[in-house]
Amino acid sequence: MQCELFEAETHDKFIKQAADVLEKQIGNVLAKAGRCVMGLSGGKTPLPVYAALAERPLEWQNVWVFLVDERYVSPDREESNRRAIEESLLKKVGHPAAQFVAPDTWKALPECVNEYENALKELFAKGQPDIVTLGMAEDGSIASLFPPLPPEAYEASRLAFATHHDAVPVPDRISVTIPVLTGAAMPLFLLEGRLKKRTWAKMLESGLNTREWPAHAVMATGKAVVVAGWASAEEGT
């Protein structure tokens, strides 16, 4: 499968390379369209990248951000992706709060998902996302889409839905659907550590089974960019 691959030799180089890719893409989109829509994933791996991106001179007043996935916990909890992304990036750059679209996890899960999907419909009214960031866990999941994926993960009419997986610390999640990820102009995978290298290789060798390996659906678009720190001692998720 074709993708643009950047390999970094160290943790610091991985962070810099990933921030460089994001800065360039955001800048190019803003120069062309005047508005950039970016979906961000949480987890250990991307947070230092977001912190590095916060140091770059970008027109954040013209950037809209949404969450690719969220854990169903209150936003004041340490596990919250919303909290992590606000602290690592958005608050540092003075990003307008009204331009950050995230699930309201104070509400009951069905209401939370419904309201988030409606907010995404409004956000995407002018077009698909320009960027989405993604990781991949050892079980092959991306964006809280846990294999085997249910049919609603692929429904073109859906933008978000609730997922559940008993084997993770926070079993209830909210995730965008595969069409949101594949519709992005640049899906960016951020992968670091030897375990991730083995998982990525296993995915590439597995055949095009998108229910078990949802990354295949994203890679099949031919638009994916991968920044990898395979040699890094870091083993983030």
Side-chain angles (χ1 to χ4, degrees):
M1 263 172 284
Q2 185 176 3
C3 70
E4 189 172 7
L5 173 64
F6 299 92
E7 295 182 287
E9 298 173 355
T10 66
H11 176 62
D12 288 345
K13 289 181 179 180
F14 166 79
I15 293 171
K16 182 181 183 302
Q17 181 64 70
D20 286 348
V21 169
L22 282 168
E23 180 185 19
K24 181 179 179 181
Q25 182 70 0
I26 294 169
N28 287 345
V29 171
L30 289 176
K32 182 178 180 179
R35 179 180 188 263
C36 179
V37 176
M38 178 168 61
L40 299 181
S41 293
K44 180 181 177 182
T45 298
L47 296 185
V49 175
Y50 301 156
L53 186 63
E55 303 298 324
R56 308 299 177 88
L58 289 163
E59 299 172 1
W60 290 104
Q61 72 276 13
N62 296 321
V63 177
W64 274 252
V65 175
F66 68 95
L67 290 186
V68 168
D69 65 322
E70 177 59 296
R71 295 153 179 162
Y72 187 58
V73 296
S74 59
D76 58 349
R77 289 268 297 275
E78 184 178 353
E79 301 94 335
S80 167
N81 286 342
R82 176 177 191 155
R83 172 181 168 175
I85 289 168
E86 284 179 334
E87 292 182 351
S88 63
L89 174 62
L90 302 184
K91 289 181 180 178
K92 290 182 178 180
V93 299
H95 183 262
Q99 293 169 203
F100 181 33
V101 180
D104 185 353
T105 52
W106 290 111
K107 296 185 176 179
L109 186 55
E111 183 181 3
C112 169
V113 172
N114 184 60
E115 288 191 0
Y116 190 50
E117 187 164 31
N118 287 337
L120 291 176
K121 286 178 182 177
E122 183 176 348
L123 179 64
F124 300 158
K126 295 181 180 180
Q128 293 294 315
D130 299 294
I131 303 164
V132 293
T133 65
L134 296 164
M136 188 169 71
E138 290 179 64
D139 63 3
S141 62
I142 62 173
S144 293
L145 298 171
F146 300 103
L149 268 60
E152 56 261 44
Y154 295 95
E155 290 180 14
S157 61
R158 299 287 298 273
L159 298 179
F161 71 112
T163 71
H164 183 91
H165 193 51
D166 288 325
V168 294
V170 181
D172 288 316
R173 309 286 182 96
I174 301 100
S175 177
V176 299
T177 58
I178 289 290
V180 173
L181 302 180
T182 57
M186 188 186 78
L188 172 63
F189 285 96
L190 302 175
L191 308 170
E192 189 170 26
R194 298 176 184 88
L195 292 177
K196 292 298 172 64
K197 184 176 184 179
R198 288 199 290 268
T199 304
W200 187 255
K202 186 177 179 181
M203 183 274 295
L204 292 177
E205 295 166 1
S206 66
L208 295 174
N209 186 339
T210 60
R211 287 196 72 222
E212 297 295 335
W213 295 96
H216 270 307
V218 180
M219 294 290 289
T221 66
K223 300 180 291 185
V225 177
V226 179
V227 178
W230 301 136
S232 173
E234 299 291 327
E235 294 289 352
T237 55

